[in-house]
Amino acid sequence: MDSKADFLEAAFHAPEAVAKYVDSPPNAVPGFADMQRMAALLLAERVQSHGRILVVGAGGGLELKVFAEAEPSWEFDGVDPSSAMLQLAEQTLGPLASRVRLHEGKVNAAPEGPFDAATCILTMHFADLEERKQMLTAIRQRLKPQAPFIVVHLSFPQTDGARQRWLSRYAAYMVRPAVDAEKASQFRKAVDAYLTILEPQRDESLLQEAGFSDVELFYAGFAFRGWVSYA
């Protein structure tokens, strides 16, 4: 892949990739199902019945399905820049889709809210630093006071050779019958070139700079980290 645009096209727009997406996160993210369940539990601490939740990076519908099954009265707005992934989300949700409004685009395509909570799972690392700051601010502006925000993405140390060591570990974890070592190595190179991965302390400081408080780490899965914080 010659550019970030090519990488994103291959991952989230190409029909073959979209067709296989439902299996991709569980294979690439350690404890994926448990992480989603923990996120649902953290939402339930603050979100009452008939709450409205913003899901950023909703394509595929995996977390939307988990959250909708966790609380039958919650409603959702999901945003994603890939129309193909939004179509997949509708298929994944099935009858649960009646409680979900899907919007094509990035955060600014979402309604203004105010929402009772928001999530951004496995999405933020696709945004460069300035876009990430804008995303966090836009999400914060759409939340009610004290509303929870859950974010999960690649996050690991970046100094003294640590970045390359963790990228190699991530690639090694991905190797399985459906992904041979060569494919994992190619993916590692693309992740290194096109994703913006920060050290955990910087991720936490960005949340605080955007106006979120009480930032807590709730998930650490090898190369991934997840935090809950409050507007």
Side-chain angles (χ1 to χ4, degrees):
M1 286 167 279
D2 297 326
S3 69
K4 182 176 180 178
D6 290 339
F7 174 69
L8 295 176
E9 176 69 25
F12 301 114
H13 298 270
E16 181 180 357
V18 172
K20 296 179 179 178
Y21 179 79
V22 171
D23 295 324
S24 296
N27 289 334
V29 182
F32 178 72
D34 288 329
M35 176 269 288
Q36 290 186 312
R37 181 168 178 264
M38 287 187 285
L41 291 171
L42 290 169
L43 292 174
E45 287 182 348
R46 299 283 184 101
V47 182
Q48 303 298 316
S49 296
H50 305 288
R52 187 179 176 201
I53 298 172
L54 172 63
V55 177
V56 179
L62 300 181
E63 61 263 41
L64 279 169
K65 183 177 182 181
V66 170
F67 300 156
E69 290 176 340
E71 173 48 65
S73 71
W74 287 349
E75 295 190 351
F76 305 87
D77 283 85
V79 294
D80 197 280
S82 169
S83 60
M85 290 293 287
L86 290 176
Q87 291 174 11
L88 177 60
E90 290 183 347
Q91 297 172 19
T92 301
L93 288 164
L96 297 170
S98 63
R99 291 192 278 131
V100 180
R101 292 169 291 274
L102 296 173
H103 312 270
E104 184 176 347
K106 297 187 178 181
V107 179
N108 288 333
E112 293 184 1
F115 290 92
D116 297 288
T119 68
C120 185
I121 296 178
L122 305 181
T123 297
M124 201 69 74
H125 45 224
F126 294 109
D128 63 27
L129 183 58
E130 287 307 310
E131 184 181 7
R132 189 176 302 194
K133 291 178 180 179
Q134 294 169 7
M135 288 174 66
L136 290 171
T137 298
I139 293 169
R140 170 68 180 79
Q141 291 172 343
R142 286 167 166 77
L143 291 175
K144 295 179 181 178
Q146 302 303 310
F149 171 50
I150 292 171
V151 60
V152 180
H153 48 255
L154 285 164
S155 178
F156 47 76
Q158 300 293 305
T159 57
D160 299 327
R163 177 182 174 87
Q164 296 307 316
R165 183 166 63 251
W166 275 104
L167 285 168
S168 295
R169 288 169 174 170
Y170 177 42
Y173 180 84
M174 292 185 66
V175 174
R176 59 194 67 241
V179 180
D180 62 26
E182 178 59 28
K183 287 182 180 179
S185 177
Q186 292 174 358
F187 189 77
R188 175 201 184 282
K189 292 177 182 177
V191 168
D192 190 17
Y194 305 129
L195 270 58
T196 300
I197 304 171
L198 306 176
E199 58 186 24
Q201 296 89 339
R202 182 63 175 132
D203 275 312
E204 293 181 8
S205 69
L206 288 178
L207 286 166
Q208 294 165 347
E209 290 167 15
F212 292 98
S213 62
D214 300 325
V215 179
E216 292 183 297
L217 182 74
F218 79 92
Y219 162 79
F222 217 31
F224 294 86
R225 299 289 184 276
W227 293 268
V228 60
S229 59
Y230 303 90

